[in-house]
Structure formats: C-alpha cells, structure tokens
Amino acid sequence: MMTKCVGVSAEFVVEYEENQWEPGRWKELKRVPGNQATAELALFGNLRYQFRVYAVNAIGPGTPSEPSERHSTDPTVPDRNPENIQIHGNIPYQMEISWSPLLLTESNGPGIEYKVSYRRLEVEDAWTEQLVQRPLYVVKGTPAFTPYEIKVHARNSFGWGPEPKVVTGYSGEDTPSAAPQDVAVEVINTTAVRVSWTQVPAATVRGHLQGYEVQWVRTRNFLDREKTLNEKRSESFPGNRSHAIVAGLKPYSEYKLTVRVVNKKGKGPMSDPVTFTTPEGAPGLLPTLTASDCRADSMLLVWGPPLETNGILFGYHLQYHLLNESTQEVIDSQEMNITGADITQWRLTGLNSGSRYRIHLRACTKASCGPPQSKEGETLPTLSKIEDPSDASTTGWIIGTMCALALLVIVALIFFCLMKKKGGKYAVKEKEDLHCDTESQGMMDECSEKKQQKDCTFFPLDDNSVFNYTEEDDDDAFNEDGSFIGEYSDPNRRKGSYESLDIPRFKHTAI
C-alpha cells in the first residue's frame, strides 16, 4: 500500500471499510503526523477490514492509496456500554429508561443485549435487574417523583462489557399533595398587598417544583355593597419561595386570596382563603373639561365625573394659573376646593379681563386626588383695558366726533321744525301796513343794538321775501283770501324792492 505525495505532507489519514454491515463505505479511522509512516489501529471484533491512506498538505487532500488486503478480527466481548441514558417521568408512578444502543460494528460479536439495573437512591441496597434487547425499558409501580440510581450494561454471546456508569433520575411526577400553610396578607397601598406563606415539604411537591401560584377573587365593591362580584385573577411566582407582592388590585374592595404549589405535572390544592380589603384610592381622570361662557372677569367650567372613583367622591380640587400672553409662562396661581360629589360645573370669578388661564381640575376622595384634567380659557377684554396711549387718543377722537355729529343733527332737526312752523299761509289785511308792528320793531331795535356789538350779521333778502311788496302795488296783487300768492304768480307785478325798506334781516348761525 503506497500513496504518492507532492510537497511536504502535514498529516496522513487512515480510512477503513468493512464488508459485513456497511460494505463499500469508507470511514476515517485515524490521523497521524506527516513525518510518521506507521499507525497503530484499534479495531472492533468480528469484522473484515481493508484500509487506505491519503496525505493532506496546505493545498488540500491528495489521492488515496490503493486498498489493502482484507483483515479479519476475532469476535470478543463488548468494549463499551450504551451512552446518553435518559429517565422520563411523564406518567405518574412509572419511570421510562432509554439509551443510545451500540452500533452493529461496535458489538464485537453476535447476540448483543442490555441489562438494566435500578434502585431507589439512598433507600435500597439491592439492584433490580432486567435483560432487554431494545434500547427502552419502563419501570412501573414506582412512588411519585422518587429518585433512582440507574445503569445499563451491554453484553454479547462472548460476555459482558466493562462496568457501566451509574446515573440518577426520577420516577413520574404527580400533582402536589399539600397546600401552603399560614397564609397572611399585608396591605401595602390601595392596589398592592404582600402575601406570605409557609413552604410545603419537599416530599409533597411530587415533581419538579415550578413555583407558587397566588389567586385572588374580588368579591365586593364597597361603592355598591349590595352587589356580589366574582372577578378572579392569578399570578405565578417561580422558584421555592415564601412570599410575593400582588399588584393591580382595585381600591375600596373586598378580596379573598389563596396560594398553591405548582410543578411540571400541574397545580396542588389551594390553601385556606384569606379575606382582606383595600382602602380608598385616588379617583381616575375626568373624562371631559370645557371652559365656556367667558366674560371679562369670569368663565364657566363644565366637566364629567370620573369613571373610576376608587372610593367615596367628596369633591374636586381646582387650580388656575394666569399666563403671560407672549411667553405662556405662569404669572400667578390660585387654587380652591369644590365640595360636592354631584357638582359638574363651576363659574370661576375674580379673573383679569382679556387674560389667558390654564386650568387643572382633579376629582378627590378622602384618600387623595386623582390626576388633573387640563384646559385653557381666555376672558373677554374691556374698554378700560387699553395698554397703548395712541389707542386712547384715537378712541377719544372718535367719541368726540360722534358726539359732535349727534349734536349737529339735533340742532338741524330743531331748525327744520321751526322753519316749517313759520312757513304756512299768512292772512293779511287788504292794505297791509308794511311797517313792523310793535313787537317786530322791538326785535329789530334789539338786533340793531346787537349789530353795534358785532353779534348779529346782516344779509340781503331773496326775491321771494314778503318785503318785496309795497303800498304802491294795487289791490289786484292779493287773492280773495287776502294772501299775496298771486303776486308771486306774475313777477312783472312786483314793483317794489326790499332796498326801499329799512328792515334788517338776520343770518342764522348754527351752533
């Protein structure tokens, strides 16, 4: 048997093939250094071998050599025992033992079989044995979850293999048989309690301990004492422990609590129930809050009561903050209590006009107040609140102008009424004395006197004045009723002129 090598060989690989169980299949048997030309091989009995060798260097493996001649080994006892022994306790009161069997090439001879030996750990001295050919054996009638020592010994027609190793396993699990004792509950706050208990004996667990399960039932809400509840919840706590913290409870309620052991098979019996109550807590968030009907110094707040009161609701806590218009920072803060569970609106008074407020409202019980519901609102401005001096002067000018216009309208109306009253038909004598009567003469004298004081202003009369009529006109100038309308109908009949009369006329000046 020769192999051709090119370059320096890092190592040689020896392969074998046997023609009894796996003919034609080459398997690696041993590797030797590249500077070694011989190898000592460990072979199984009762087989016919042939060998080949190939070299391996930095580039890769070379071509294998030609196979050697067949070499037969003598049958002998097994030189090893089964491995990967496992113990399963899936079914209570029995134990399943399994292992990986020897390969056909590893049996060293015909008639391979196995002896299974077992005994209770630290209880029994004698081994119970059973000879089997399959790689599985089930032990029945065992105590629940009891530790055992197990070993599996291989043998063939030529004898027993070496002494096997001992492994430890447990029989099948069953649900725990005992309940925790001395269960106690300590209330931490409105939603959490601390639960403690005495651990159960290990023998009563009857399986791999997974932990403890705490179950609690809400039986009553003190806000509706007549109604019976059955709200169940539970939580598992891993490991071998004696206490746990239970959270997520409802305030102002009555509960019943139990504890039990849990293993892989299931849950044990419950402990005696313990009754406890949770105190009142803070109410929940208000669902709605609105600010409406805003006035210069007040606004109306309207809200909805909390969906979860968590106790007896007695009122609300109100906070309101005056904000800076530009930076929205808080300038001033006020707070007050609103007593009454049925109140759902409140008029907030004493506010600054034209200002923005941030409002926080909380529902309260005797325990505490809940989270705040927030809203912002703005009061209406007033005319007296003017910050810019130019706005004040503009507003004053507008007001003065409006007042002056109103006064002018009133004077014009009065003047119009007076002129209308004096503008009707006049009854005169057939030959009217064109001189002013005593009253008119007095008025003209008075006006003449004022004229000297420059308080009166004269102006020429128009053509329609009554003073255009003189005594030189004949009687035909009048109508039958004594009026002088006919005179106006024919302008050619007017012969006189107001210039011939020394009668002053006044120019009326509107005030």
Side-chain angles (χ1 to χ4, degrees):
M1 180 177 63
M2 297 180 65
T3 181
K4 184 179 180 180
C5 298
V6 179
V8 179
S9 298
E11 59 182 357
F12 292 100
V13 179
V14 181
E15 294 183 320
Y16 77 94
E17 181 264 345
E18 56 86 21
N19 60 358
Q20 183 177 356
W21 307 109
E22 297 177 309
R25 182 180 180 184
W26 289 92
K27 296 182 181 180
E28 183 178 317
L29 181 61
K30 191 174 183 178
R31 287 176 178 259
V32 296
N35 58 359
Q36 186 175 325
T38 61
E40 184 175 343
L41 306 175
L43 306 176
F44 295 109
N46 199 32
L47 294 177
R48 297 182 74 244
Y49 288 92
Q50 65 178 348
F51 306 95
R52 70 181 184 183
V53 179
Y54 64 88
V56 179
N57 60 16
I59 298 176
T63 304
S65 66
E66 294 294 326
S68 67
E69 297 181 356
R70 292 282 177 184
H71 173 74
S72 299
T73 57
D74 297 329
T76 182
V77 299
D79 58 1
R80 63 184 62 185
N81 287 300
E83 297 178 349
N84 192 28
I85 299 174
Q86 296 183 357
I87 298 93
H88 303 280
N90 299 325
I91 302 175
Y93 309 108
Q94 74 178 33
M95 180 173 58
E96 183 180 285
I97 305 171
S98 63
W99 59 89
S100 298
L102 297 178
L103 300 176
L104 294 175
T105 57
E106 297 174 342
S107 60
N108 289 344
I112 190 71
E113 57 186 359
Y114 306 97
K115 180 178 68 174
V116 180
S117 303
Y118 58 90
R119 67 183 179 185
R120 293 180 64 180
L121 179 64
E122 298 179 354
V123 175
E124 299 175 343
D125 295 331
W127 292 89
T128 301
E129 300 175 345
Q130 185 67 36
L131 196 62
V132 297
Q133 293 181 347
R134 297 174 55 215
L136 178 67
Y137 181 69
V138 177
V139 181
K140 296 182 179 181
T142 62
F145 200 67
T146 301
Y148 279 83
E149 290 180 315
I150 298 110
K151 59 183 180 179
V152 179
H153 201 179
R155 78 166 216 177
N156 61 16
S157 300
F158 292 89
W160 296 98
E163 185 65 23
K165 295 179 181 180
V166 178
V167 297
T168 302
Y170 286 83
S171 60
E173 293 187 58
D174 197 1
T175 56
S177 60
Q181 302 294 319
D182 305 323
V183 179
V185 176
E186 177 185 355
V187 177
I188 299 176
N189 53 41
T190 60
T191 61
V193 295
R194 183 182 187 274
V195 185
S196 60
W197 60 85
T198 300
Q199 297 175 339
V200 298
T204 65
V205 177
R206 302 197 300 183
H208 293 283
L209 178 65
Q210 299 297 295
Y212 289 83
E213 181 190 74
V214 179
Q215 184 182 88
W216 59 95
V217 182
R218 188 187 184 201
T219 58
R220 184 175 300 173
N221 181 358
F222 289 132
L223 294 176
D224 188 3
R225 296 176 179 269
E226 302 300 325
K227 184 178 180 180
T228 301
L229 305 177
N230 191 29
E231 301 175 2
K232 294 182 179 180
R233 286 189 60 188
S234 62
E235 185 175 354
S236 296
F237 298 92
N240 190 18
R241 57 198 303 162
S242 60
H243 68 274
I245 302 297
V246 174
L249 305 177
K250 297 289 186 180
Y252 209 47
S253 301
E254 181 184 78
Y255 284 90
K256 287 186 178 181
L257 181 143
T258 57
V259 184
R260 58 182 173 182
V261 187
V262 181
N263 63 14
K264 287 185 176 180
K265 189 63 180 179
K267 302 173 183 179
M270 292 183 177
S271 64
D272 295 332
V274 176
T275 302
F276 67 94
T277 60
T278 54
E280 291 188 65
L285 182 70
L286 301 180
T288 58
L289 174 62
T290 61
S292 59
D293 192 18
C294 296
R295 303 175 184 176
D297 62 346
S298 67
M299 64 179 66
L300 181 64
L301 304 179
V302 181
W303 63 88
L307 301 179
E308 295 289 340
T309 58
N310 297 327
I312 300 176
L313 190 68
F314 77 85
Y316 300 87
H317 182 71
L318 175 63
Q319 291 179 310
Y320 52 101
H321 310 285
L322 177 61
L323 303 180
N324 184 285
E325 294 183 2
S326 58
T327 64
Q328 296 298 305
E329 295 181 351
V330 176
I331 301 175
D332 186 27
S333 298
Q334 301 291 333
E335 59 181 279
M336 61 182 302
N337 291 322
I338 302 174
T339 304
D342 298 332
I343 297 177
T344 57
Q345 62 180 9
W346 187 266
R347 176 160 289 280
L348 188 59
T349 60
L351 307 179
N352 295 345
S353 61
S355 300
R356 191 167 188 82
Y357 285 85
R358 182 178 298 136
I359 301 159
H360 302 298
L361 187 64
R362 311 166 187 256
C364 300
T365 63
K366 291 182 179 179
S368 62
C369 295
Q373 180 65 272
S374 301
K375 188 71 176 179
E376 290 190 3
E378 190 170 348
T379 56
L380 298 178
T382 58
L383 294 177
S384 60
K385 184 178 179 180
I386 302 174
E387 298 181 357
D388 192 352
S390 61
D391 294 342
S393 60
T394 303
T395 304
W397 182 84
I398 293 174
I399 294 174
T401 302
M402 293 177 65
C403 293
L405 289 175
L407 184 59
L408 288 174
V409 171
I410 293 173
V411 172
L413 289 175
I414 294 174
F415 179 76
F416 176 76
C417 293
L418 292 177
M419 293 300 295
K420 185 177 181 181
K421 186 176 180 181
K422 294 181 180 181
K425 294 182 178 181
Y426 291 87
V428 295
K429 294 186 255 183
E430 189 173 340
K431 287 186 178 182
E432 184 179 356
D433 188 0
L434 295 180
H435 293 282
C436 295
D437 58 12
T438 307
E439 182 180 356
S440 299
Q441 186 67 37
M443 184 172 58
M444 286 186 293
D445 294 341
E446 180 181 356
C447 187
S448 299
E449 183 180 355
K450 292 183 177 180
K451 180 180 178 182
Q452 298 176 359
Q453 300 174 1
K454 297 183 181 180
D455 288 338
C456 296
T457 304
F458 294 97
F459 60 90
L461 297 175
D462 57 20
D463 293 338
N464 294 328
S465 174
V466 68
F467 297 104
N468 289 334
Y469 184 79
T470 62
E471 289 183 339
E472 298 178 359
D473 295 326
D474 57 15
D475 296 336
D476 293 336
F478 293 92
N479 288 336
E480 294 179 354
D481 57 356
S483 66
F484 48 86
I485 296 176
E487 174 67 12
Y488 287 2
S489 61
D490 188 0
N492 295 325
R493 296 178 58 89
R494 291 195 299 265
K495 301 177 181 179
S497 175
Y498 68 92
E499 295 178 356
S500 62
L501 300 176
D502 187 20
I503 300 175
R505 289 302 180 107
F506 300 94
K507 181 181 179 181
H508 296 271
T509 304
I511 300 175

